[in-house]
């Protein structure tokens, strides 16, 4: 049933020959009982488009004579065209349940590699909705080893599909645990993110292990969960990451510690002990990138008490260098309250900005004795801090 090679239309349009072959092959499947040739079934699957009405009818009609052979070919054929067809069917919301179960039952590595790379991660809502219809998936349950043999992109897709299924939580958890222990970096990262849906000590232990992972992205994914899991030393662990050389880790720590912001710090500052101010301020200065702006606003207040508190907060958050200008203006202004000017001198003692040193040297030389003494002590502190940085 090949098309006539002498046909002008056939020579002009290669797709015409394909349509002709597809039509003839479809007709042959209706005569399955006469020939029972499995190669004709596979040939039909290789060229049939996924939206072909004849294919849809054959898949849906379980009592059709050719239905069993068709399902056998879909379940076992290594042909790329057949595998592409199965991927297309997984994207189709009209695909019969028994076809989805067939896809869930194939565990050959070649097919799973093709399937998982084709659906990708993040995958489409149609695929996820079809996966929701499945409560058994062989390659996510008993045959997980084939997933671990694939690359990271395929593993990440497998994790996303697993989270969408109706599998038991224990099966999904077992997959995540296996990928975290033995998977590629992308798979481990996806598994760590997915663990956010699993409370309890088992998941806690996996997240803590992931926090020590050699891959930065996996560690960042784990860092995001430490506080939600009430890990005892979560804040101190995250605080160390604020100084990590890797931007992804610093950002993950800032996000996890986002409640350490300047607004909240300023609201609670008066009630805090000196120790609490120092400990909390050290985190706020690294987490809230708008903290310096907040201090500048406080320094512009007409209230001397509020401005003095702003300088104390600047010291606690380690951002005196960022607000040297407004503090130096207070120190240099003879109309300001003397106690406020002394507070400004003490704050500038924490700075290494040349502008701060210039203001302190001027105060130590020309200003009233009380302020002069404070300025001299501040200069000594600057010198001591500079020597400490050198050593």
């Amino acid at each position: 049933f090949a098309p006539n090679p002498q046909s002008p239309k056939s020579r002009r349009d290669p797709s015409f020959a394909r349509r002709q072959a597809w039509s003839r092959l479809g007709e042959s499947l209706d005569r399955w009982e006469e020939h029972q040739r499995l190669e004709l079934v596979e040939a039909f699957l290789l060229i049939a488009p996924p939206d072909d009405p004849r294919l849809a009818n054959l898949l849906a009609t379980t009592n059709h004579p050719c239905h069993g052979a068709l399902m056998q070919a879909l379940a076992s054929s290594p042909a790329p065209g057949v595998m592409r067809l199965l991927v297309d069917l997984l994207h189709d919301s009209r695909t019969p349940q028994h076809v989805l179960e067939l896809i869930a039952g194939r565990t050959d590595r070649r097919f799973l590699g093709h399937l998982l790379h084709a659906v990708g991660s993040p995958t489409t809502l149609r695929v996820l909705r079809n996966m929701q219809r499945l409560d058994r998936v062989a390659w996510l349950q008993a045959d997980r080893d084939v997933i671990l043999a694939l690359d990271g992109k395929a593993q990440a897709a497998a994790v996303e599909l697993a989270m969408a299924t109706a599998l038991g939580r224990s099966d999904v958890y077992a997959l995540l645990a296996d990928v975290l222990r033995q998977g590629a970096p992308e798979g481990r990262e996806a598994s760590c993110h997915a663990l956010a849906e699993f409370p309890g000590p088992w998941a806690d232990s996996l997240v803590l292990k992931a926090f020590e992972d050699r891959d930065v992205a996996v560690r960042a994914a784990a860092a995001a969960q430490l506080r939600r899991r009430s890990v005892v030393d979560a804040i101190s662990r995250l605080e160390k990451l604020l100084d990590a050389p890797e931007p992804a880790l610093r950002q993950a720590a800032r996000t996890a510690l986002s409640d350490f912001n300047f607004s909240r710090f300023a609201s609670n500052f008066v009630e805090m002990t000196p120790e609490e101010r120092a400990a909390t301020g050290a985190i706020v200065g690294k987490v809230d990138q708008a903290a310096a702006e907040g201090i500048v606003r406080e320094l512009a207040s007409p209230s001397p008490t509020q401005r003095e508190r702003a300088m104390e907060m600047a010291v606690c958050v380690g951002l005196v260098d960022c607000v040297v200008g407004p503090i130096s203006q207070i120190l240099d202004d003879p109309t300001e309250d003397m106690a406020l000017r002394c507070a400004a001198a003490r704050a500038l003692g924490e700075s290494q900005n040349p502008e701060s040193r210039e203001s302190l040297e001027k105060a130590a030389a020309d200003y009233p004795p009380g302020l002069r003494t404070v300025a001299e002590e501040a200069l000594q502190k600057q010198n001591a801090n500079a020597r400490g940085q050198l050593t």
Side-chain angles (χ1 to χ4, degrees), residues 9 59 62 89 98 128 152 168 249 280 288 295-296 321 355:
K9 187 171 183 180
L59 291 174
T62 56
L89 290 170
H98 59 269
L128 295 178
L249 293 179
T280 305
D288 190 348
I295 295 171
V296 170
D321 278 344
E355 183 181 346

Side-chain angles (χ1 to χ4, degrees), residues 292 296 318-326 351 353:
V296 170
L319 294 177
V320 175
D321 278 344
C322 298
V323 292
V324 163
S351 172
N353 188 308

Side-chain angles (χ1 to χ4, degrees), residues 148 172-183 191 195 206:
L148 298 174
V172 178
Y173 179 82
L175 171 71
L176 300 182
D178 283 350
V179 175
L180 264 178
R181 283 191 289 261
Q182 305 173 54
S191 292
L195 278 173
L206 284 178

Side-chain angles (χ1 to χ4, degrees), residues 136-252:
R136 292 187 59 80
V137 182
W139 40 276
L140 296 176
Q141 293 173 289
D143 295 298
R144 288 192 299 271
D145 286 348
V146 69
I147 299 298
L148 298 174
L150 299 174
D151 63 23
K153 290 183 178 180
Q155 290 171 7
V159 166
E160 185 173 355
L161 296 182
M163 293 296 290
T165 64
L167 297 179
R169 298 281 283 181
S170 60
D171 285 325
V172 178
Y173 179 82
L175 171 71
L176 300 182
D178 283 350
V179 175
L180 264 178
R181 283 191 289 261
Q182 305 173 54
E186 287 170 294
R188 299 200 305 275
E189 180 187 358
S191 292
C192 193
H193 282 301
L195 278 173
E197 303 295 325
F198 290 79
W202 284 2
D204 293 350
S205 64
L206 284 178
V207 170
L208 283 172
K209 185 175 181 181
F211 186 71
E212 305 297 332
D213 197 277
R214 60 186 179 276
D215 185 81
V216 170
V218 179
R219 293 179 63 198
Q225 301 181 45
L226 292 186
R227 294 186 70 192
R228 295 202 302 271
R229 294 185 177 279
S230 300
V231 174
V232 175
D233 56 349
I235 291 178
S236 61
R237 287 173 180 260
L238 292 168
E239 186 177 2
K240 292 177 182 177
L241 290 189
L242 292 172
D243 296 315
E246 300 89 353
L249 293 179
R250 295 198 301 272
Q251 182 56 49

